[in-house]
Amino acid sequence: MRTPTQQQILSAFRGATKGEIAKISFDKEFDDVDFDKIEFYGWRDRKIPRRAYLVIEHDGELVSLLLNRSEAKPRRRAMCSWCRDVELVQDVMLYAARRAGPRGRRGDTIAALICEDFACPKRARKLPPAYHKDTDLDAIRAGQVDEMSRRVHAFVTEALSTDG
């Protein structure tokens, strides 16, 4: 992912109002993020506890989405629908994004169970708990990252869709 500026991220928001965008607080660690090593960037707003944001290069352009976190945590350990890490040390939460266009203005959303800390790119690069000595570890990592990226892009595509 190319390194975006804060202004580029703010300009790329879809499905968010000008008032919502004006209240965005960037992560304190924003300047230290190595965007070359991640497929997307997500963070929780430090001033608005249930709000989070997703930034991704999608179909050749930067896209930012406002996510709202559910108040309730899943009753049981849940798996992130993006990275599908089975050894999560962080909670998974239900995050919802307002859809684009008329559907979003009517309140229609799309939601997914996502790692609360948005560390999916890091988790997708982890090796499986057990593997054979002749296993191609680079291929495993690449496959996991590709699948995670595909799932995140599918979420964004659905959020941006104005069909229906």
Side-chain angles (χ1 to χ4, degrees):
M1 178 173 178
R2 288 176 287 156
T3 303
T5 65
Q6 290 183 5
Q7 187 55 50
Q8 288 171 325
I9 289 172
L10 293 174
S11 298
F13 268 94
R14 305 293 198 301
T17 66
K18 289 179 183 178
E20 289 169 330
I21 294 170
K23 294 178 184 175
I24 291 174
S25 296
F26 280 88
D27 190 20
K28 291 178 184 178
E29 317 295 317
F30 180 79
D31 293 330
D32 299 326
V33 175
D34 188 353
F35 286 92
D36 293 331
K37 294 184 179 178
I38 57 177
E39 289 67 37
F40 69 87
Y41 177 59
W43 78 99
R44 292 175 45 201
D45 195 307
R46 61 184 186 267
K47 294 181 181 176
I48 306 172
R50 289 187 39 226
R51 185 165 293 164
Y53 310 99
L54 171 70
V55 179
I56 190 169
E57 284 184 30
H58 184 73
D59 291 338
E61 65 180 356
L62 195 66
V63 172
S64 303
L65 295 176
L66 183 147
L67 305 172
N68 287 301
R69 189 181 77 202
S70 171
E71 285 187 51
K73 289 185 176 187
R75 290 185 184 152
R76 292 190 169 101
R77 274 312 256 181
M79 182 185 297
C80 174
S81 61
W82 290 355
C83 67
R84 298 203 176 157
D85 186 2
V86 296
E87 297 180 331
L88 281 177
V89 294
Q90 185 66 237
D91 284 331
V92 171
M93 296 298 293
L94 183 67
Y95 284 100
R98 188 178 305 128
R99 292 182 185 267
R103 293 169 72 183
R105 288 190 288 280
R106 289 192 307 268
D108 194 2
T109 61
I110 179 172
L113 288 168
I114 307 168
C115 292
E116 189 172 26
D117 63 357
F118 295 97
C120 299
K122 178 181 168 187
R123 291 190 179 102
R125 286 168 171 78
K126 282 184 6 182
L127 292 176
Y131 50 88
H132 188 272
K133 69 177 182 170
D134 293 328
T135 302
D136 184 348
L137 301 179
D138 291 332
I140 289 173
R141 280 190 185 107
Q144 290 173 168
V145 169
D146 287 346
E147 284 299 307
M148 178 215 48
S149 186
R150 183 189 58 75
R151 289 186 285 270
V152 176
H153 280 282
F155 178 88
V156 173
T157 297
E158 187 65 27
L160 298 178
S161 173
T162 56
D163 296 339

